[in-house]
Amino acid sequence: MEGLINVADEDIRKRLRNICGRIKQNQDITSSVMQTSVQLYRSQRKAIIQTYMQELRYAEFAEELQRNLTFLHKRSTELAEDLQKHHRMIWDQINEIRRTEVDIDIKIRACKGSCKQTFDHAVDNEAFKAMEFKMAQFSMISKRRKSIAKVKKLKLQSADRPAVSPTYRKIPIVRTELLTKFEDIEQHQVVLDELLEDF
């Protein structure tokens, strides 16, 4: 009976040694995987932070560009209005010059019979037609420029992130190596706001 007990005891001890060996082997594998995870986390964190900083710089640049474009749009609108005003003034002056030329021509023709000395004068209709054509071209171009366009404004908007589970925070290596789930880096999504403006 004692022999059977010893054999069973030895068998149990052998099984326990095998189980302990497997546990140790699994712990070593787990430790190796965790160390690889730490290295991967650090390299990925570096890349993510660089991307994050680039996104912030890009958003700042886009905002500055938007401000410049808005300023240029306002300034070009003001200049276009000034140009239209001057265009109307030039048009009025051309018409006034033409009327004056016609008046002069009528007076010279009327004077031919009674005046001692006259000179030949003719209204340059071709020059006036060329000026009218150029003025009409300008009107067409300035009218074509006025069209409604959608202006998009780029902005960064905070993105929702899933909550970190408390069990994740309890893993020893997570606490010792500070393996956060990037909670310290604000997550954004790029959004385009559409503004309807008259260009």
Side-chain angles (χ1 to χ4, degrees):
M1 187 74 151
E2 197 176 314
L4 286 172
I5 290 171
N6 285 340
V7 169
D9 184 48
E10 187 60 36
D11 187 44
I12 288 169
R13 284 173 193 263
K14 191 177 178 183
R15 284 184 186 179
L16 282 173
R17 274 195 299 275
N18 284 342
I19 290 169
C20 288
R22 275 195 225 125
I23 288 171
K24 178 80 171 84
Q25 189 179 8
N26 286 342
Q27 282 176 338
D28 290 345
I29 290 168
T30 304
S31 177
S32 171
V33 167
M34 288 303 274
Q35 288 304 320
T36 306
S37 297
V38 167
Q39 288 169 0
L40 184 66
Y41 172 86
R42 286 185 179 144
S43 66
Q44 291 303 309
R45 181 177 175 83
K46 190 175 182 181
I48 287 168
I49 287 174
Q50 284 174 345
T51 305
Y52 171 72
M53 294 308 291
Q54 286 171 351
E55 284 173 358
L56 288 180
R57 280 194 292 274
Y58 177 76
E60 285 170 14
F61 174 73
E63 197 175 320
E64 187 179 337
L65 188 62
Q66 180 65 34
R67 277 195 303 270
N68 289 343
L69 286 173
T70 304
F71 171 75
L72 285 173
H73 173 253
K74 285 179 184 171
R75 188 73 183 117
S76 68
T77 304
E78 290 167 7
L79 290 171
E81 286 168 5
D82 283 352
L83 204 56
Q84 284 292 337
K85 189 172 74 177
H86 286 96
H87 179 262
R88 283 190 295 274
M89 286 167 56
I90 291 167
W91 192 256
D92 291 342
Q93 286 173 354
I94 288 171
N95 288 331
E96 187 61 37
I97 291 168
R98 189 169 202 173
R99 277 194 294 276
T100 306
E101 285 262 339
V102 170
D103 284 347
I104 290 169
D105 189 50
I106 290 168
K107 286 177 183 171
I108 288 174
R109 284 176 195 230
C111 186
K112 271 194 178 180
S114 59
C115 296
K116 289 181 183 178
Q117 193 177 15
T118 60
F119 60 92
D120 289 332
H121 178 269
V123 176
D124 192 354
N125 287 317
E126 291 300 316
F128 281 108
K129 280 181 186 171
M131 281 192 276
E132 283 174 2
F133 177 72
K134 285 181 181 173
M135 295 299 279
Q137 265 187 327
F138 174 81
S139 291
M140 275 180 22
I141 290 166
S142 61
K143 280 176 188 166
R144 200 182 319 143
R145 195 181 80 58
K146 277 204 157 192
S147 61
I148 293 173
K150 284 182 181 177
V151 180
K152 294 184 185 240
K153 184 179 178 185
L154 182 139
K155 69 174 191 175
L156 287 181
Q157 198 174 56
S158 290
D160 293 333
R161 65 169 81 221
V164 180
S165 69
T167 52
Y168 175 79
R169 294 185 191 280
K170 289 179 184 174
I171 300 171
I173 199 162
V174 168
R175 287 198 313 272
T176 57
E177 296 291 338
L178 301 173
L179 303 180
T180 65
K181 284 200 172 179
F182 305 105
E183 302 100 304
D184 55 330
I185 300 170
E186 192 176 356
Q187 287 187 358
H188 294 113
Q189 57 189 7
V190 176
V191 178
L192 288 176
D193 274 354
E194 282 192 0
L195 305 169
L196 203 64
E197 289 189 12
D198 185 18
F199 270 97

